[in-house]
Amino acid sequence: LAGSEVIADGSNSNVTRSLLWGNQPLTLTGVRTAFKVSEIFTGYLGLNNSAFGATRDGNKQKTIEVGFNLAPAPGLNLALTDYFGNEGGAGNKTNLLDLAAGFNVGGLGLGLNADFNKVKQSNAGIDTKFTGVALYANFQFIPDLFRAGVRLEGTQTKDDTANTKFKQNEVTLTADYTAAKNFDVISDLRFDQLKNDNTGAKVKSTELIVMGVYKF
């Protein structure tokens, strides 16, 4: 339920994944129920093996998921999800609060994804807080032929146990050319920067990726 991006390449607007995507569970083993209250409101309640989405869970503690999806107007969608539980034993806590929003009108699509992720594992000496925001904008210049987009992100990871703080941001420019009915050529030009707040050290990177996606 969490996040604006998914594993399947053909369902994302970018080639590369967001910084937030790497801090969200990708696969979950458990049970989930969805209840549609009205045409605009759907609620979710579930129980999972692991907050981290691990294929195999190393403990008996479970994670509870609670969320809702709201569609108050045509083209507007809001989703809020919370995963909370513990991993690894008594006193440990995990929590992921995720907000995903999207708005589409004409050829313009706007998106927002925000996360607060807290992990406390006393036995492993981990006490981290991750916060981040990703903004998306995509415009279909030529219907069914050419799309361009941009993704802007900023995140902060703070480990209270190790007394460290890292900030990371990225800008991704995307172009999507629909070469055939079921085939797209998508390219990302991405700029990343990681800063260690304790030392002031910065690491920058730039990458260009071109990918072909055949949809079937």
Side-chain angles (χ1 to χ4, degrees):
L1 297 176
S4 296
E5 301 180 20
V6 296
I7 296 175
D9 287 325
S11 299
N12 293 315
S13 58
N14 309 94
V15 177
T16 60
R17 299 297 189 270
S18 68
L19 302 173
L20 272 63
W21 188 80
N23 287 272
Q24 297 163 350
L26 306 180
T27 59
L28 293 169
T29 301
V31 293
R32 174 185 299 158
T33 181
F35 45 96
K36 191 171 184 178
V37 179
S38 68
E39 291 299 320
I40 67 172
F41 184 89
T42 302
Y44 298 93
L45 182 64
L47 187 68
N48 306 307
N49 275 353
S50 172
F52 306 123
T55 304
R56 291 187 177 183
D57 193 13
N59 58 76
K60 296 181 179 180
Q61 289 79 20
K62 304 302 178 184
T63 294
I64 298 173
E65 62 175 28
V66 179
F68 68 84
N69 191 87
L70 186 65
L76 178 61
N77 191 81
L78 303 171
L80 185 67
T81 308
D82 191 52
Y83 293 92
F84 57 92
N86 58 44
E87 293 288 335
N92 296 346
K93 295 180 180 179
T94 55
N95 183 256
L96 168 62
L97 180 63
D98 176 88
L99 171 66
F103 178 67
N104 294 280
V105 55
L108 177 64
L110 301 175
L112 165 70
N113 190 198
D115 275 351
F116 174 73
N117 193 346
K118 183 177 181 180
V119 177
K120 182 177 182 179
Q121 292 182 276
S122 303
N123 57 348
I126 298 174
D127 188 4
T128 63
K129 298 181 182 70
F130 172 86
T131 55
V133 176
L135 301 174
Y136 303 81
N138 289 278
F139 188 74
Q140 195 78 35
F141 285 94
I142 304 176
D144 301 321
L145 185 64
F146 182 74
R147 173 184 62 85
V150 60
R151 179 181 61 203
L152 307 173
E153 281 191 279
T155 70
Q156 175 179 282
T157 304
K158 183 179 179 182
D159 190 328
D160 292 335
T161 305
N163 193 29
T164 59
K165 184 190 293 185
F166 293 91
K167 292 182 180 178
Q168 190 168 1
N169 55 68
E170 66 96 0
V171 178
T172 300
L173 306 176
T174 301
D176 185 340
Y177 171 63
T178 304
K181 182 179 180 181
N182 295 324
F183 182 72
D184 282 46
V185 179
I186 311 173
S187 62
D188 271 9
L189 178 60
R190 176 166 173 160
F191 308 91
D192 281 85
Q193 176 178 281
L194 174 65
K195 179 183 178 182
N196 185 327
D197 265 15
N198 297 76
T199 64
K202 295 181 181 180
V203 178
K204 297 182 180 180
S205 65
T206 302
E207 59 183 334
L208 174 64
I209 300 178
V210 179
M211 177 178 69
V213 179
Y214 179 73
K215 303 175 183 178
F216 57 91

